[in-house]
Amino acid sequence: MKTNTLIIGSSSGIGLEATKFFLKKSHNVIGISRRNNNIKSKKFRHINFDLNNFQDYDQLYSNIYNKFGPINNLLFSAGVQFIRPSSIISANDIKKIFNINLKSPILFSKFISNKRFFKRPGSVIFISSVIASRPASGQSLYGSSKSGVINHAKSLALEVSKYKININTISPGMLKGPMLSKYSKNISKDIYEKITKQHPLGIGKFTDIVNGIDFLFSSKSRWITGIDLTIDGGYSL
């Protein structure tokens, strides 16, 4: 029996690594992003979509179902992050971060709750961040949006539990990748080294997060819902 896995934010970071991983496990992967990740596989289909186009979400849901059938697993890994001290935050900054990091995953709950679109039982994972529970200077917007995702996921988990749909979040620590490179350019070398040392097991890799996703998508996590799985190399300690 085929497994349809929908990955939102499939062109980079955790989403891209998860796409490659689940294709190797013979899932049919549907990736949503503004650019294609150029993966060549008969089991991969890409949908070019800007998550800021909220008026088109209902049509997107119908298109996914009509082309691929109901979804078994959903990973929401799209996200926006930038440093902005509270003293200079603008309304546009709030819109940029909250639109993608919080408003979009909330709106996808309509897709998840629809018995025609989403299989039952099923599993959903929203990517949050350790910043949601361990605030960092200049990241009040990012942390607020990600803590909102955790709260939303817990509420949604209660709502859809009767359908045997598991809803969880994963909060990664610092990971090697483009986002880390961009972040490190905006802080001093001393601060970067301090943050690095705050990860007792070192800076993580995307595969460390994907292993957690694989577990929460598997039957082994059948009795787990509404949790936030922290994978941070000990940073939150």
Side-chain angles (χ1 to χ4, degrees):
M1 186 170 62
K2 70 176 183 178
T3 299
N4 284 339
T5 296
L6 179 63
I7 298 180
I8 302 152
S10 61
S11 63
S12 63
I14 295 169
L16 177 57
E17 198 66 35
T19 297
K20 295 175 181 177
F21 179 87
F22 288 109
L23 284 172
K24 289 180 180 178
K25 295 192 75 171
S26 296
H27 289 212
N28 295 313
V29 178
I30 301 98
I32 295 177
S33 62
R34 286 186 296 180
R35 63 181 186 277
N36 201 337
N37 52 25
N38 296 315
I39 289 178
K40 307 298 182 184
S41 171
K42 292 181 179 180
K43 289 186 171 292
F44 177 70
R45 295 292 183 273
H46 177 256
I47 298 175
N48 188 290
F49 187 80
D50 186 340
L51 294 174
N52 287 294
N53 294 334
F54 300 115
Q55 71 280 1
D56 297 329
Y57 274 41
D58 285 342
Q59 186 60 54
L60 172 66
Y61 304 152
S62 296
N63 289 343
I64 293 170
Y65 174 76
N66 292 334
K67 290 181 180 179
F68 312 108
I71 299 300
N72 301 84
N73 305 307
L74 186 150
L75 170 66
F76 196 103
S77 64
V80 174
Q81 181 181 22
F82 51 79
I83 296 174
R84 195 73 83 239
S86 298
S87 59
I88 61 170
I89 288 175
S90 68
N92 194 48
D93 291 333
I94 298 170
K95 181 179 178 181
K96 280 183 179 179
I97 279 194
F98 275 77
N99 271 4
I100 302 301
N101 292 4
L102 186 56
K103 186 175 180 179
S104 185
I106 288 175
L107 288 176
F108 262 92
S109 302
K110 187 175 181 180
F111 177 87
I112 295 161
S113 302
N114 188 305
K115 64 181 180 181
R116 190 164 63 100
F117 295 159
F118 203 84
K119 279 192 175 180
R120 305 173 179 186
S123 182
V124 177
I125 299 170
F126 297 104
I127 298 298
S128 182
S129 169
V130 291
I131 300 299
S133 57
R134 284 207 59 182
S137 178
Q139 298 209 55
S140 63
L141 285 181
Y142 182 70
S144 297
S145 68
K146 289 301 188 179
S147 61
V149 167
I150 293 173
N151 192 285
H152 167 66
K154 290 178 182 295
S155 295
L156 184 60
L158 286 172
E159 292 178 25
V160 301
S161 59
K162 58 187 175 183
Y163 306 130
K164 303 302 179 185
I165 297 175
N166 297 37
I167 311 287
N168 296 293
T169 58
I170 291 179
S171 287
M174 188 174 284
L175 305 171
K176 294 177 182 177
M179 191 173 285
L180 173 58
S181 298
K182 185 178 180 180
Y183 176 66
S184 63
K185 291 177 182 178
N186 293 305
I187 58 177
S188 68
K189 184 178 179 181
D190 289 343
I191 292 176
Y192 177 76
E193 289 179 351
K194 180 181 178 181
I195 293 173
T196 301
K197 290 178 181 178
Q198 287 176 330
H199 291 72
L201 296 181
I203 302 301
K205 299 178 181 179
F206 294 130
T207 51
D208 296 319
I209 310 305
V210 173
N211 287 333
I213 295 168
D214 184 38
F215 170 69
L216 290 177
F217 275 172
S218 74
S219 59
K220 295 178 181 178
S221 64
R222 178 191 69 81
W223 211 45
I224 299 175
T225 194
I227 70 153
D228 177 51
L229 176 60
T230 300
I231 308 177
D232 66 354
Y235 174 77
S236 56
L237 296 174

